[in-house]
Amino acid sequence: MGTYINIGSAGFQSARNSEYVDKSGLIAVVNATLNTERRFTCVTRSRRFGKSMAARMLNAYYDQSCDARNLFADLEIAKDPSFEEHLNKYPVIFLDMTAFVTRFHDEKIVDQIENELIADIKDAYPDVSINDSSDLMDCLINIVSATQQPIIFIIDEWDAICREFKPGTAAMDRYVNWLRRMFKDVNASRVFAGVYMTGILPIKKYKTESALNNFTEYSMVKPARMAGYFGFTKDETKILAQKHN
């Protein structure tokens, strides 16, 4: 278990230990995109819509370092034909961008992200040869080539850096280039079985269209298939209200 890679299912376990409203149908929607041209997904919602909860759920479901079957056995996703196919079958990188913007406040923040992820990944794959000069994408290319296991990359609050640094600053320019390197690289479709990101405001808000134009974005205005998986529906609210009198 690492800090960023294969972090286990504890985050979702905490949710299941509390009063959890079943949103696991989201997993089937994401499963349908894996290893396809639609593998890049971005969900944008305002605060308190359950974005981080959904990200932790996806991590628990895909993470190959744990056995999360019991966490999902009584949920909607367990009845879906894709449930067994992808359950705990992937190396998963989970990145919470807010954890970095609270620690680093200068233009080197992206370098800090790179360095910490590379160190964690090297620890997770000690037998894979990685050059000292390799950037994160180079490391992931080497690992997938050696293991033949594509990666699930989950980024919670991808726009935290965009909210902290103004467009045109060195940090923002470096971040946009990093996104482009990670997800528009010719090897991205080979390295990633799927990429799932959450954010508060739409991608275009921060002029990152060219870096992320291969992502399917599910926004507040155009939620499409994601509509019922964030926030509470009328029926869910009614059930909760009745339960608590």
Side-chain angles (χ1 to χ4, degrees):
M1 184 180 296
T3 304
Y4 305 106
I5 186 167
N6 297 335
I7 64 173
S9 60
F12 187 55
Q13 177 71 67
S14 295
R16 291 306 321 265
N17 291 341
S18 306
E19 185 168 62
Y20 176 71
V21 175
D22 188 355
K23 299 290 184 178
S24 65
L26 170 67
I27 296 171
V29 176
V30 178
N31 281 350
T33 70
L34 298 184
N35 300 304
T36 73
E37 291 298 311
R38 298 179 293 115
R39 74 189 71 200
F40 302 97
T41 300
C42 183
V43 174
T44 54
R45 292 289 188 283
S46 58
R47 298 182 189 280
R48 314 311 302 169
F49 267 74
K51 301 186 304 297
S52 295
M53 175 74 72
R56 292 194 295 270
M57 177 184 69
L58 290 169
N59 180 85
Y61 172 75
Y62 291 119
D63 188 341
Q64 66 178 8
S65 71
C66 60
D67 181 358
R69 182 179 301 277
N70 288 340
L71 289 178
F72 295 98
D74 61 337
L75 300 182
E76 177 186 345
I77 183 59
K79 302 174 184 177
D80 191 87
S82 69
F83 177 67
E84 294 289 345
E85 181 181 358
H86 301 288
L87 177 64
N88 299 135
K89 298 290 176 61
Y90 298 91
V92 179
I93 298 174
F94 188 98
L95 190 60
D96 179 359
M97 284 298 184
T98 58
F100 288 94
V101 298
T102 56
R103 293 161 55 205
F104 305 108
H105 306 283
D106 60 29
E107 63 184 34
K108 296 182 180 179
I109 185 171
V110 177
D111 295 325
Q112 295 288 346
I113 294 170
E114 275 262 321
N115 292 338
E116 292 193 19
L117 282 172
I118 289 172
D120 200 42
I121 288 167
K122 284 183 175 180
D123 286 344
Y125 294 92
D127 297 329
V128 177
S129 178
I130 297 174
N131 295 329
D132 291 338
S133 61
S134 294
D135 66 3
L136 177 60
M137 190 57 172
D138 286 333
C139 292
L140 298 182
I141 291 170
N142 286 351
I143 287 166
V144 173
S145 295
T147 64
Q148 296 301 301
Q149 287 186 303
I151 294 165
I152 301 287
F153 201 148
I154 299 172
I155 304 180
D156 195 17
E157 303 287 2
W158 79 270
D159 56 337
I161 289 179
C162 305
R163 303 195 303 268
E164 187 74 15
F165 298 93
K166 295 180 179 179
T169 60
M172 187 61 186
D173 289 345
R174 173 79 172 91
Y175 186 46
V176 171
N177 287 332
W178 183 79
L179 292 171
R180 185 176 292 113
R181 167 67 170 144
M182 292 301 300
F183 305 129
K184 292 297 291 293
D185 186 275
V186 66
N187 291 292
S189 293
R190 179 166 64 92
V191 169
F192 301 117
V195 178
Y196 180 90
M197 303 197 311
T198 76
I200 292 176
L201 292 176
I203 288 171
K204 292 183 179 180
K205 174 70 176 179
Y206 300 108
K207 302 188 184 301
T208 53
E209 299 98 318
S210 62
L212 298 173
N213 63 6
N214 57 333
F215 277 76
T216 300
E217 183 173 2
Y218 299 92
S219 67
M220 293 282 287
V221 178
K222 296 181 179 180
R225 296 172 296 168
M226 301 291 190
Y229 300 122
F230 296 92
F232 296 129
T233 66
K234 180 184 290 187
D235 288 341
E236 289 166 347
T237 304
K238 184 176 181 180
I239 289 171
L240 289 170
Q242 291 173 337
K243 180 177 179 180
H244 294 281
N245 195 29

